[in-house]
Amino acid sequence: MIYWQIFLAFFIPGIVGYGGGPASIPLVEKEVVDRYGWMDTQEFSEVLALGNSLPGPIATKMAGYIGYAEGGALGAIAGLFGAVAPSLILMIALMAVLFKYKDSREVKNISKVVKPVIAVLIGVMTLDFILTSEASLGGLQTAILMVASYLMLEKWKLHPALVIGLALLYGALTGIS
């Protein structure tokens, strides 16, 4: 029964919480603190602070931690699945609809229209990253890192994680701040 409760404690906020993790946190608190009494408000705020200090979505980190605290490893799995199930269900449903109508002119037009918009969004983000890097590292360091990264990715076909790791190592060794 505890695993079902853990699942529901994160599934329900995921279904009704419009806006993702930050918007669903009060709903999770209502479930965890008020409904099930697994934590008091102080403990919940500490879990929230811990979750915010780590990278990644807050809802899954909280679900894993609280699920583990209440039900061990299976509780963590139940909490994580409860947190991601609403998005998963919606994604599968939308993909089923798109797959059913994939040959329709409307769906093909959607794909054609959205591609340039996504390209612009990525381009704007890239420009913002370059300007931020230039402001903190300077133009020369930014240019060196950009050219080196491009060569490693495109010419030498290194894995992106390795390129990121090498950039981290470069920053640690050179003491760039």
Side-chain angles (χ1 to χ4, degrees), residues 1 26 32 37 39 46 57 66 71 75 77 82-83 93 96 105 110 127 130 136 146 155 165 167:
M1 185 66 159
V32 170
M39 300 178 163
E46 290 170 2
I66 295 168
I77 292 169
R105 187 172 51 96
I110 289 171
L127 180 60
I130 292 169
S136 63
M146 288 175 60
K155 184 173 181 171

Side-chain angles (χ1 to χ4, degrees), residues 39-119:
M39 300 178 163
D40 60 25
T41 303
Q42 177 64 34
E43 290 172 306
F44 185 82
S45 66
E46 290 170 2
V47 171
L48 179 60
L50 176 65
N52 275 323
S53 70
L54 300 170
I58 185 71
T60 54
K61 291 178 284 189
M62 291 181 67
Y65 180 86
I66 295 168
Y68 185 81
E70 294 305 313
L74 288 178
I77 292 169
L80 285 169
F81 187 65
V84 301
S87 297
L88 185 64
I89 291 167
L90 184 59
M91 190 170 53
I92 290 170
L94 288 173
M95 288 306 295
V97 170
L98 283 175
F99 188 72
K100 182 177 179 180
Y101 298 105
K102 71 179 183 310
D103 294 325
S104 76
R105 187 172 51 96
E106 291 83 3
V107 171
K108 288 181 179 177
N109 285 340
I110 289 171
S111 296
K112 287 178 187 174
V113 170
V114 80
K115 285 178 184 176
V117 173
I118 292 171

